[in-house]
């Protein structure tokens, strides 16, 4: 029982329905964690016979596995347990940020099975070189994936800037303008895989939504603090992309119109107050010290170094100011702080929360509202990217069999 | 051929389908402006016979009228022209703002058929009195509507603050906190009509979307400049309401954390720089002069009075600063300025556009982008409110027959 090849002629209706149902059944198994055929049938509203036939196809094509274990707690005959496969179809995510590249392979369940990261100054080299370097790291990850019997069916790039149709329109901190990142990456990757691209904060926000235990908070603003400050808004479980795909640029909200020049061409952007370099500089640490610099900042703050603590507090207060405006505008359930902000929360969060308390007109952010919190994950953008590839496969498994 | 009463038992399926199709046909006639039965059938994908039966029901219950005119330009027999009725089911919208009350009755096509407005300082009286006054004005509008054979089937209140479930949680400029506005209004209105409530900027934005010729710009940020500065975001033709219904409060985005105290409890909110009172005061006009004060401001600006022109320009520049942040965050297609901003555009728009040009990172707001524009309508919130009542009737005509 092999899947039919995709057809586009009008007669394809029956195929289309079967393909759709195949995805329904696969997603029921995926979302359920562990499921029986009877449980899946009840959940998706198809007959037991139809589900069995579809499950056969999913077993044949390696999307689903069956264990000897049986459920007997439910009504009817005990059934063997179905799970999505730990091998086979997988997703590859590649984050190219200002001073690092990070790669992740997730399996069908979204678990991150391969992780690789390298610290490297991506401002120093031309885009083609940076992307070739990322492709080399991705190739190593593909090798590790093969050893685990995982077969990534696509790549998604996570990029720190405005991305549209595979092209980086603007990534001020990389100095990229109109860079066809998807194409350059695909050319450098030995394996011919479909390559998609997206903003890194968007993908980190999706990772937080899917794996971060956000729970009922399906409407939240996500910030990724790095050298740049990225943002993304998730509304009822979906990304708000805006009219042209450029929403979320909270790093370029103006704090002081006469403030320091920003690489975007404006002045006084949030990034100039709460970005990694600004915080390091204010703490008296080399602003280009990258991750070791951040570790130094944290250790000084832990040792109650006044300058370090003050630098983080001031960033938190400015962050809170801008966040209060965003919350007044968007009314999210929560604000989730990722990237460098995660480890700085003890010093960053109180002054930020104070501004939110004072300035959010709904009053829902008063006192200890618990609405401002650290992200649950690190290295989330590449995982979100990989999971998005997997999500496409779950939506139409027949196309990936 | 009378509509069946709504039923909720399982057997109601056939009724439910007919009710749904009744709405489909009505909306096809509504959206088409003028239509034939054959045209409607082609548009909604039902048989000609089914459409004829549903049209009979809509004619019987007065939602649709038929004219002697025929279309012969289309294939097949010429058909008589169907239109939504200019009489019968209608909507009533009531805007209670800081210094005026405005009432509008729209017919099924959304045309505003009755308009009444009164200037009155609503800060001076307790909420129950303000709402009783608004109800008295609404009653007069109901009288005028009756003379036009219009029968409003519901009321929607437009209120300048955070509204949730009929209650004004916060309207800083009115000084209202936790006011059950819907209930107070309903009690004061002689006629027993269902009363809904919403934020005034939300309703003005919907009016702009439906009647303002926004065209393809279905993702836009709307600002209503009054004593307060309200805002609303329309995303792909739908209002973004946020997690608790409080989105859009752009008037309380902070411009300067140490700026003048705002009635919301914060400091330096946009309202303190670009609200009606701030602009009047900066121009050297009594800040409480209301509409006559605004007329005076405009006439001074037209006469090139430096202080008046400078006051409006400074407001425009501050508005542009805050808008650049909102655009970076939300990536709308356009920003639409309503209320007092409409007539101030010649002086307000250039400095605002300059900030957007300089500070929006996508570059889509550079130069003469045409994305910042005045709203097409005045008194839009009450019309949007009335049209929302009509939209409910269009969605389920059987419930209003």
């Amino acid at each position: 029982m092999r899947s039919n090849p995709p057809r586009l002629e009008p007669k394809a209706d029956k195929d289309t329905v079967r393909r759709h149902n195949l995805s329904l059944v696969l997603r029921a198994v995926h979302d359920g964690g562990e499921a029986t055929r009877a449980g899946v049938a009840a959940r998706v509203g198809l007959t037991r016979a139809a589900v069995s036939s579809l499950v056969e196809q999913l077993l044949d094509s390696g999307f689903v596995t069956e264990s000897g274990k049986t459920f007997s707690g439910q009504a009817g005959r005990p059934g063997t347990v179905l799970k999505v496969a730990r091998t086979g179809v997988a997703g590859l995510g590649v984050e190219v940020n200002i001073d690092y590249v990070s790669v992740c392979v997730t399996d069908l369940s979204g678990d991150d099975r391969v992780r690789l990261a390298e610290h490297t100054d991506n401002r120093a080299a031309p885009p083609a070189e940076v992307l070739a370097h990322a492709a080399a790291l991705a190739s190593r990850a593909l090798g590790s994936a093969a050893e685990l019997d995982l077969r990534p069916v696509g790549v998604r790039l996570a990029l720190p800037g405005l991305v549209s149709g595979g092209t980086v329109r603007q990534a001020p901190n990389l100095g990229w303008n109109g860079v066809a990142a998807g194409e350059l990456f695909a050319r450098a990757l030995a394996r011919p895989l479909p390559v998609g691209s997206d903003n890194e904060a968007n993908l980190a926000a999706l990772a937080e939504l899917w794996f971060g235990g956000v729970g009922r908070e399906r409407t939240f603003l996500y910030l990724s603090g790095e050298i740049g400050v990225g943002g993304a808004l998730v509304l009822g479980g979906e990304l708000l992309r805006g009219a042209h795909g450029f929403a979320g640029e909270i790093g370029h909200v103006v704090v002081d119109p006469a403030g320091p020049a920003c690489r975007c061409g404006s002045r006084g952007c949030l990034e100039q107050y709460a970005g990694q370099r600004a915080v390091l500089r204010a703490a008296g640490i080399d602003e280009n010290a990258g991750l070791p610099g951040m570790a130094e900042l944290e250790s000084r703050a832990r040792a109650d170094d006044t300058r370090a603590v003050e630098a983080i507090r001031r960033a938190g207060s400015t962050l809170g100011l801008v966040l209060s405006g965003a919350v007044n505008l968007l009314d999210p359930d929560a604000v989730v702080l990722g990237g460098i902000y995660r480890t700085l929360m003890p010093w960053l969060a109180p002054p930020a929360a104070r501004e939110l308390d004072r300035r959010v007109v709904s009053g829902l952010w008063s006192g200890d509202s618990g609405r401002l919190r650290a992200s649950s994950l690190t290295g989330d953008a590449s995982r979100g990217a990989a999971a998005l590839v997997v999500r496409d496969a779950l939506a139409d498994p027949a196309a990936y069999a």
Side-chain angles (χ1 to χ4, degrees), chain A:
Chain A
M1 201 172 281
R2 290 268 138 226
S3 67
N4 294 311
R7 287 195 225 151
L8 292 171
E9 62 266 40
K11 282 189 63 197
D13 279 23
K14 222 176 127 192
D15 285 356
T16 308
V17 169
R18 188 175 173 90
R19 285 177 76 152
H20 174 76
N21 288 341
L22 197 67
S23 167
L24 266 185
V25 168
L26 177 56
R27 281 178 290 155
V29 173
H30 173 271
D31 297 348
E34 296 193 335
T36 60
R37 287 169 177 78
V40 170
R43 180 159 174 174
V44 301
L46 292 170
T47 65
R48 174 74 195 266
V51 167
S52 287
S53 159
L54 294 161
V55 164
E56 281 315 305
Q57 184 175 341
L58 291 169
L59 287 165
D60 274 4
S61 51
F63 281 95
V64 164
T65 57
E66 195 166 23
S67 83
K69 211 163 80 176
T70 56
F71 271 132
S72 50
Q74 292 165 303
R77 272 198 313 145
T80 54
V81 170
L82 303 170
K83 284 188 194 183
V84 291
R86 299 266 297 164
T87 56
V89 167
L92 173 60
V94 179
E95 180 182 5
V96 179
N97 216 313
I98 319 301
D99 58 353
Y100 64 86
V101 176
S102 155
V103 176
C104 179
V105 175
T106 62
D107 60 23
L108 281 173
S109 70
D111 281 352
D112 47 337
R113 302 286 298 281
V114 179
R115 288 266 193 190
L116 293 173
E118 269 186 23
H119 287 272
T120 156
D121 190 345
N122 290 325
R123 291 163 292 194
E129 212 170 285
V130 169
L131 290 159
H133 185 85
L137 196 68
S139 293
R140 276 175 46 206
L142 288 173
S144 306
E147 285 168 28
L148 298 168
D149 270 337
L150 287 166
R151 178 173 59 87
V153 294
V155 192
R156 180 84 51 158
L157 300 181
L159 299 156
L162 305 180
V163 180
S164 162
T167 295
V168 177
R169 188 188 170 96
Q170 266 260 48
N173 286 305
L174 282 174
W176 292 10
N177 276 294
V179 171
E183 208 181 302
L184 292 168
F185 181 89
R187 210 179 292 160
L189 192 70
R191 197 91 67 82
L193 283 177
V195 178
S197 304
D198 211 329
N199 172 272
E200 56 87 20
N202 281 352
L203 294 167
L206 286 178
E208 187 67 23
L209 174 72
W210 292 332
F211 311 116
V214 174
R216 290 179 320 279
E217 285 163 3
R218 292 172 61 81
T219 294
F220 62 94
L221 183 62
Y222 179 90
L223 266 72
S224 78
E226 307 288 348
I227 288 179
V229 177
L233 183 72
V234 175
L235 274 181
E238 296 290 331
L239 271 180
L240 175 124
R241 292 189 173 275
H244 319 89
F246 302 147
E249 290 296 326
I250 197 166
H252 300 285
V253 169
V254 179
V255 172
D256 176 358
C262 181
R263 293 191 57 109
C264 75
S266 179
R267 286 196 160 274
C269 297
L270 173 62
E271 217 164 276
Q272 300 306 317
Y273 301 86
Q276 177 174 312
R277 282 187 296 186
V279 182
L280 287 177
R281 195 169 53 235
I285 299 171
D286 172 14
E287 66 178 35
N288 294 313
L291 205 71
M294 289 307 300
E296 174 65 23
L297 175 67
E298 194 192 333
S299 103
R300 289 194 197 174
R302 287 207 185 284
D304 282 331
D305 175 273
T306 314
R307 197 166 169 195
V309 167
E310 267 313 298
I312 307 171
R313 281 194 187 144
R314 267 202 308 279
S317 161
T318 306
L319 201 57
L321 261 186
V322 168
L323 285 175
S324 72
V327 168
N328 278 329
L329 209 48
L330 299 168
D331 183 25
D333 252 342
V335 170
V336 177
L337 300 178
I340 63 163
Y341 298 142
R342 288 184 73 244
T343 50
L344 303 182
M345 287 300 272
W347 309 278
L348 192 80
R354 207 168 306 130
E355 295 297 335
L356 285 159
D357 178 346
R358 199 177 287 168
R359 301 184 191 277
V360 174
V361 68
S362 72
L364 292 173
W365 293 68
S366 296
D368 191 17
S369 71
R371 297 182 182 277
L372 179 70
R373 61 172 185 72
S375 74
S376 318
L377 307 165
T378 46
D380 2 33
S382 59
R383 184 170 177 195
L388 205 52
V389 172
V390 164
R391 196 161 88 147
D392 288 346
L394 292 173
D396 189 10
Y400 296 87

